Amino acid sequence: MVDDHPSFRRCAQALLTAEGFEVVGEAEDGAAAIALATDLEPELVLLDVQLPDIDGFEVASQLLARDPELSIVLVSSRERCAYGQKIEASGARGFVSKADLSGAALATLLE
Amino acid sequence: MTESARPPAPSVHVAPPPSRTRAGPLSRLEGMLPLALVAAALAAIGGALYTLAVSRVAPHPVAQSILVTVVCLSFVGSGVVALRGRSYWRFGLLLAAVGFSSLLGVLHDANDSVAYTIGVFTSNLVFAVLLHALLAFPRGRLGSGGRRLLVAAYLDVLGLQAIAVAFDPLTRYHSDHPPNLALIDARPSLATGLLELEAAVAIALALTAAAILARRARAATPTARRQLVPVLWCGWGGLAIFAVALAVVPLSARAGLAGMTVGLLAALALPAAFLAIVLQGRLSRAAVGELLVELREQPEALGLEHALRRALGDPSLELARREAHGGYADGAGRELVLPGPGDVRVATAILHQGETIGALVHDRSLRLRPQLLDAVRAAAGFALANERALQTVQRVEVRNRALLDAIPDLMFRIARYGTYLDVRADDPSGLVRPPEELIGSNVRDQLPGDVTEAVLACVERALSSGAMSSVEYALEIDGVERCFESRMVPSGDGEVVTIVRDFTVQRRAEAEQRRLGEQEAALRRVATLVAGDAPPEQVFQTVTEEASRLLLLRSALLVRYEDARTATIVGKDGDEPEEYQLGSILVLDQGAALAVLRTGAPVRVDYEQLDGAIARRMLEHGFRSSVAVPITVAGATWGALIAGLRADETLPPETEHRLTGFAELVGLAVASADARDELAASRLRIVEASDDERRRIERNLHDGAQQRLVALSVGLRLARAKIRSAPEDAEELVAFASEELAQAIEELRELAQGIHPAVLTERGLAEALEVLAARTRLPVSLETRLPERLPEPVEAAAYYVVSEGLANVVKHAGAGTARVRVVHTNGAARVEVSDDGAGGADLDRGSGLWGLRDRVEALAGSLEIESAPGKGTLVRAELPVQ
């Protein structure tokens, strides 16, 4: 789970855990996310688009460059339309607005 | 004499000229009467002479014959002369009657008794007739007193005589007398008594007549008196002698007859005096003739009056001239009042062509000599008319001369083939030669060929058309080209008079006007470019070309100074050196551009006097000098407009002035372009600042409140899921959510405060600044002097100056304290933010200050910064308050 807002990470972890996900690691910026993903090799990366150092799309492309099978779902408090084609171009499995985040939404994207 | 005292209408006193016509049948007898009288007199004298010749009783027939002939002819002749003068015809008849009645005494010596008796009856009639003539002298008319006297006289010499004769045997005269046929009864003593009575009455009548004549002489006008006095004395003497003779008759017939004869001789004074009057009239008519000659030769006003006095024999005569306003004046121009009715003198109007042009004021007696008066009047009329005409001509001549003198032109008379006949030039500087050299010479020898042809063609046009013809030409006189217009009119046989006007000055003025017009048009074209926001490069080039064209320059450059040593060529026209191309950089050396940069004023440089690369290059290219004017923008010398002059060129002194007109437009164009650029940059900064602010707000919302609300939303959903299965977890989640919500609210409030502080809107600048100071993480001393609230835009600008200033102090200054001072004074709000920090701040660095400056300048204010290193920083804004 990559997001620079601790309160969101806390809520999201509790929500997803409750819905049967196991959160293996948390990162608050892009560089930490890439390092952690290399170490932990998660099945799914929940990646915030806006990060303090590099943006989510760049992080996604670097992660996929290392592991093309990795599932990445982009999240943002903005609407999907704010990013247009960038989401598809990033190679991520999909996009979920933070307000709509739920285990079911992630499951749908991963099917 | 005052105006009010003047007689109301002088002209009413001017008598009409005496009538020259005589009414009635007498006019028809006019021609015959004198002849008949002369014939009758001759016949009567013949009869008388015959009577005396054959008389037995005539004592001195020869002497008597001579006497009666002389007396009769004197009176009848004078009478005939008088008849020819129209004023004296009555008197003429009286004189003739005296002549005829003087013959009646001859019958006294007749041999025939009838003739003798008639002679005795009428021998004294001549006394009464003579008395009649004396009293009627010289007009032939009697007053009422005279008429009564005459009736008495006729009764005396005829009535009393007849009665006496009826009783007189007449024996005392001569024994050979024929018998008295009228004798009724011979009573000599009665007859003698009656005759004595007759004589006494006659003496009384003679005395009365003398008295009447004396009174008349006293009342007469001077001229009339001069005529009357000799008549008076002679007549009176004659009458006296007559009367004495009558008195002697009863005593001595001889003595009586002798007395009568002496009386008649004395009475001859009457025709003599009368003839003298007539003769004087004749002489006066001759004087009129002389008068006319004199007037012709000596037309002065006073001379005219004297001549008229001499002609009329009236020393009191005055000649009155009719003035334009209707009054009269004498020869010296003094006002003259005409005599009124009853005056000794009278006025006779002088007419000319039916108009009264004057009056003769003369003795009334002259009315008796109307022909003379007429002649003199006519002569005076001619003289006055001439005088008037002369005055008019003189006036016209004076006016014409003044007009001619007032024309500042040259005048020539030129013959058909070009000979100068006459030259008049008040100012000979307009002549190609002095007048004396021109006269007699030919146009062809004096004027250039083309001008000669034009002038001669104009002469020919004027002569053939008979009307005014004109020609314009230019002549070089003393090295200066001058323009002339020659107007010609025919002035005689084959010659013209021409007035030549020098209108060089007007031509120059027209040329100057045209030049100004062209300059104005050129400047307008440039100004239109400037106003139309044309690119400065286009303006520079256009200015250079227009200035070059208008001032007929062969080389013009427009340069922009880059620094103290270099300039860029931004406009060029003409044949300047090849290396001077648009955009090329000049290194300033001795030359016009450097001189202008140093002086900031127009300069002229002579390259021969200068040393340096530019001077050498210009001389190599054939340039000798340059004229340059500065282009000033915002008080600084921005560039120069330079005209290069070759060796054969000169530029008039006003060139600098005219170049300056163009230079000012360049300055305007540059200033305008600068202002435009500055405005565009300011707009861009405003837009960028606005965009930055929006981005900041969006980021703040996204990073702050929005994130918290998202977390809140997730947390609440989780809490709902756990509220039954794990109520404790749910409670913890709700507590977390509540905390997040409180944080979100606080962040939103801060954000809103940053967008626009509500306290500023609601409570004004002073309190808003207090809040701002309180929230600043630095001690801030705040001084506000704002007696009343400022306009909203000024309050906002002042607030943000302080807000941004304090933010900068906190972020960059490393200051211990800050000071804020806001004062409203003299129509402006002054805002100062100072600190005790490191200083060294720069307005050009940091978009926050740029944004502030745009905001302040949008309100026509100013923003400045003092920030010397180590001396802290002062940001000062001046904001006009309207």
Side-chain angles (χ1 to χ4, degrees):
Chain A
M1 184 176 291
V2 186
D3 196 306
D4 59 333
H5 288 92
S7 58
F8 176 74
R9 287 202 307 274
R10 191 176 146 198
C11 286
Q13 189 200 12
L15 180 74
L16 294 177
T17 305
E19 294 189 0
F21 287 84
E22 182 190 357
V23 178
V24 295
E26 291 180 18
E28 59 177 10
D29 57 30
I34 291 166
L36 205 59
T38 308
D39 287 350
L40 298 175
E41 293 183 345
E43 291 171 24
L44 170 65
V45 175
L46 201 60
L47 180 59
D48 189 5
V49 175
Q50 279 182 300
L51 293 171
D53 50 355
I54 45 179
D55 74 16
F57 301 115
E58 179 62 28
V59 174
S61 66
Q62 287 191 26
L63 289 177
L64 287 173
R66 290 165 188 257
D67 179 8
E69 299 302 314
L70 182 62
S71 292
I72 300 174
V73 171
L74 290 164
V75 296
S76 173
S77 55
R78 294 196 174 94
E79 292 300 312
R80 180 192 180 101
C81 60
Y83 304 111
Q85 297 301 312
K86 279 186 168 179
I87 293 168
E88 281 77 13
S90 69
R93 295 292 287 269
F95 174 89
V96 177
S97 168
K98 283 184 181 177
D100 299 333
L101 182 65
S102 64
L106 290 178
T108 307
L109 288 175
L110 292 173
E111 278 173 2
Chain B
M1 170 178 275
T2 60
E3 188 70 22
S4 59
R6 184 185 292 175
S11 58
V12 301
H13 301 304
V14 180
S19 168
R20 298 193 60 187
T21 58
R22 192 195 304 151
L26 278 171
S27 59
R28 287 195 296 276
L29 296 173
E30 218 171 60
M32 293 162 58
L33 191 58
L35 277 177
L37 283 175
V38 170
L42 289 176
I45 289 169
L49 293 181
Y50 172 78
T51 303
L52 285 171
V54 299
S55 172
R56 293 187 304 269
V57 293
H60 308 289
V62 176
Q64 279 179 285
S65 295
I66 293 169
L67 183 68
V68 297
T69 304
V70 168
V71 170
C72 178
L73 280 179
S74 296
F75 279 93
V76 175
S78 303
V80 167
V81 171
L83 280 174
R84 294 182 58 186
R86 293 171 191 183
S87 303
Y88 305 114
W89 64 275
R90 287 172 189 276
F91 187 66
L93 290 178
L94 281 172
L95 283 178
V98 174
F100 285 114
S101 59
S102 71
L103 291 178
L104 290 173
V106 173
L107 294 179
H108 217 274
D109 292 324
N111 298 331
D112 178 62
S113 57
V114 175
Y116 171 72
T117 307
I118 291 172
V120 172
F121 267 118
T122 61
S123 60
N124 293 340
L125 179 62
V126 67
F127 171 80
V129 178
L130 182 62
L131 192 69
H132 189 164
L134 271 175
L135 288 173
F137 177 83
R139 298 291 303 266
R141 292 183 184 279
L142 294 167
S144 58
R147 220 172 278 133
R148 282 196 295 275
L149 195 71
L150 271 183
V151 169
Y154 283 114
L155 283 174
D156 185 40
V157 296
L158 290 176
L160 270 177
Q161 177 77 6
I163 296 166
V165 168
F167 298 100
D168 193 350
L170 293 175
T171 49
R172 65 185 178 280
Y173 293 111
H174 200 285
S175 54
D176 288 343
H177 275 300
N180 179 2
L181 295 180
L183 186 68
I184 298 168
D185 183 17
R187 297 177 63 175
S189 58
L190 176 62
T192 300
L194 285 171
L195 286 173
E196 291 291 350
L197 178 63
E198 183 188 344
V201 169
I203 288 169
L205 287 173
L207 288 173
T208 309
I212 289 175
L213 286 175
R215 200 167 60 240
R216 269 181 57 191
R218 269 202 310 280
T221 62
T223 306
R225 192 182 301 128
R226 278 210 320 275
Q227 296 169 353
L228 199 57
V229 166
V231 175
L232 175 72
W233 283 108
C234 295
W236 194 80
L239 282 178
I241 294 167
F242 251 110
V244 170
L246 282 177
V248 173
V249 164
L251 307 173
S252 159
R254 291 275 165 224
L257 283 173
M260 297 280 268
T261 305
V262 174
L264 271 178
L265 282 174
L268 277 178
L270 188 61
F274 176 73
L275 282 176
I277 292 171
V278 174
L279 187 62
Q280 193 189 359
R282 294 263 161 84
L283 288 174
S284 297
R285 277 197 287 279
V288 173
E290 284 173 23
L291 169 67
L292 288 170
V293 174
E294 209 172 330
L295 294 182
R296 200 173 57 216
E297 290 170 353
Q298 194 189 23
E300 290 101 34
L302 289 174
L304 171 62
E305 195 168 71
H306 288 142
L308 293 171
R309 284 176 182 169
R310 279 197 299 278
L312 281 176
D314 180 0
S316 70
L317 177 136
E318 283 180 298
L319 177 61
R321 290 162 177 79
R322 184 87 184 263
E323 299 283 280
H325 56 75
Y328 288 85
D330 65 10
R334 286 185 295 270
E335 191 183 18
L336 206 150
V337 180
L338 299 187
D343 206 321
V344 171
R345 299 198 307 159
V346 293
T348 301
I350 298 172
L351 303 176
H352 181 72
Q353 294 178 345
E355 184 201 353
T356 302
I357 60 170
L360 289 172
V361 179
H362 56 84
D363 196 285
R364 191 187 296 168
S365 67
L366 289 175
R367 285 273 168 83
L368 292 174
R369 299 156 70 189
Q371 284 176 315
L372 176 64
L373 201 54
D374 267 359
V376 171
R377 207 164 58 94
F382 282 125
L384 279 190
N386 280 345
E387 191 179 280
R388 281 191 158 197
L390 191 65
Q391 283 168 355
T392 306
V393 168
Q394 281 168 345
R395 270 202 306 276
V396 169
E397 200 173 328
V398 165
R399 199 173 58 219
N400 287 348
R401 173 58 55 189
L403 277 176
L404 276 183
D405 289 346
I407 297 173
D409 300 325
L410 306 173
M411 289 180 69
F412 300 93
R413 270 172 58 227
I414 301 178
R416 181 186 291 267
Y417 299 110
T419 306
Y420 288 105
L421 301 174
D422 198 2
V423 177
R424 195 183 78 84
D426 287 345
D427 174 17
S429 72
L431 296 174
V432 289
R433 296 263 183 292
E436 58 274 15
E437 288 182 32
L438 278 181
I439 295 173
S441 71
N442 195 285
V443 172
R444 292 176 200 283
D445 302 325
Q446 304 293 359
L447 303 180
D450 52 337
V451 176
T452 301
E453 293 312 315
V455 167
L456 289 181
C458 186
V459 171
E460 195 54 47
R461 273 201 307 281
L463 287 175
S464 57
S465 68
M468 200 274 285
S469 171
S470 69
V471 62
E472 288 184 15
Y473 51 87
L475 285 178
E476 192 175 302
I477 297 177
D478 297 335
V480 179
E481 186 178 88
R482 292 168 67 169
C483 304
F484 295 97
E485 185 199 40
S486 178
R487 294 183 174 201
M488 304 181 183
V489 287
S491 61
D493 189 17
E495 63 168 73
V496 296
V497 161
T498 170
I499 292 179
V500 178
R501 171 161 295 182
D502 180 348
F503 60 104
T504 311
V505 175
Q506 290 95 312
R507 270 291 140 87
R508 283 190 191 143
E510 283 167 19
E512 178 64 12
Q513 196 65 37
R514 208 163 38 240
R515 190 187 65 67
L516 286 175
E518 284 168 6
Q519 173 159 356
E520 199 178 304
L523 291 174
R524 198 162 47 237
R525 281 193 291 275
V526 176
T528 308
L529 272 184
V530 172
D533 288 347
E537 294 72 24
Q538 189 189 346
V539 174
F540 301 152
Q541 184 56 28
T542 307
V543 162
T544 314
E545 288 168 6
E546 291 282 4
S548 180
R549 195 160 58 84
L550 189 73
L551 276 69
L552 304 174
L553 302 175
R554 279 155 65 177
S555 166
L557 276 185
L558 182 58
V559 300
R560 178 184 66 220
Y561 297 116
E562 301 301 340
D563 51 46
R565 298 292 301 166
T566 56
T568 305
I569 295 174
V570 293
K572 64 170 284 250
D573 190 66
D575 53 355
E576 64 286 315
E578 281 174 14
E579 58 266 40
Y580 292 166
Q581 294 302 324
L582 276 183
S584 58
I585 304 290
L586 286 178
V587 177
L588 298 180
D589 194 352
Q590 294 290 317
L594 187 61
V596 166
L597 181 60
R598 283 180 178 163
T599 62
V603 296
R604 284 194 182 219
V605 294
D606 185 346
Y607 292 118
E608 287 173 350
Q609 308 288 320
L610 295 178
D611 194 19
I614 288 181
R616 275 197 303 280
R617 200 157 56 239
M618 293 301 279
L619 287 170
E620 280 166 17
H621 284 88
F623 289 94
R624 196 196 63 211
S625 60
S626 282
V627 174
V629 296
I631 294 163
T632 307
V633 177
T637 305
W638 176 92
L641 184 55
I642 308 166
L645 274 75
R646 292 184 178 275
D648 58 343
E649 279 183 284
T650 53
L651 284 180
E654 70 268 20
T655 305
E656 283 89 335
H657 177 69
R658 297 171 66 188
L659 279 175
T660 301
F662 287 99
E664 282 171 357
L665 278 179
V666 175
L668 199 60
V670 172
S672 164
D674 283 357
R676 210 162 48 238
D677 289 349
E678 174 62 22
L679 182 64
S682 165
R683 280 178 183 158
L684 187 64
R685 283 196 302 274
I686 288 170
V687 170
E688 283 174 349
S690 171
D691 289 349
D692 286 351
E693 185 65 11
R694 285 167 191 271
R695 269 193 297 275
R696 188 180 69 81
I697 292 168
E698 194 268 351
R699 197 165 53 241
N700 284 351
L701 281 172
H702 176 258
D703 291 352
Q706 192 176 11
Q707 294 297 337
R708 291 193 191 284
L709 289 174
V710 166
L712 181 62
S713 161
V714 174
L716 284 177
R717 261 191 286 129
L718 193 58
R720 193 180 65 183
K722 289 193 173 180
I723 202 160
R724 294 186 195 278
S725 57
E728 287 165 4
D729 288 351
E731 188 179 348
E732 190 183 336
L733 282 170
V734 169
F736 161 76
S738 175
E739 192 182 315
E740 284 293 299
L741 191 56
Q743 287 285 338
I745 289 168
E746 179 57 26
E747 284 177 8
L748 279 175
R749 187 184 290 128
E750 280 191 11
L751 191 64
Q753 180 77 13
I755 293 170
H756 190 85
V759 62
L760 181 64
T761 312
E762 300 300 328
R763 300 167 67 185
L765 181 60
E767 293 197 34
L769 292 180
E770 281 173 21
V771 172
L772 194 59
R775 284 170 49 168
T776 303
R777 295 193 301 271
L778 196 71
V780 176
S781 77
L782 176 66
E783 178 193 354
T784 53
R785 276 191 275 156
L786 299 167
E788 56 189 4
R789 285 198 62 172
L790 299 171
E792 205 170 300
V794 177
E795 279 195 333
Y799 179 84
Y800 285 112
V801 167
V802 175
S803 163
E804 187 68 32
L806 287 177
N808 283 335
V809 171
V810 170
K811 274 191 221 164
H812 308 296
T817 58
R819 183 167 181 269
V820 173
R821 187 165 177 270
V822 180
V823 179
H824 179 195
T825 175
N826 294 331
R830 171 177 284 200
V831 182
E832 290 174 350
V833 180
S834 55
D835 64 59
D836 54 359
D842 186 351
L843 187 61
D844 292 335
R845 291 176 204 159
S847 64
L849 287 174
W850 269 111
L852 276 185
R853 198 175 81 164
D854 291 340
R855 193 188 275 271
V856 168
E857 288 182 354
L859 296 172
S862 63
L863 183 77
E864 57 188 48
I865 289 184
E866 292 171 17
S867 187
K871 299 277 179 70
T873 300
L874 168 66
V875 176
R876 180 189 294 122
E878 289 274 349
L879 294 160
V881 177
Q882 269 137 38

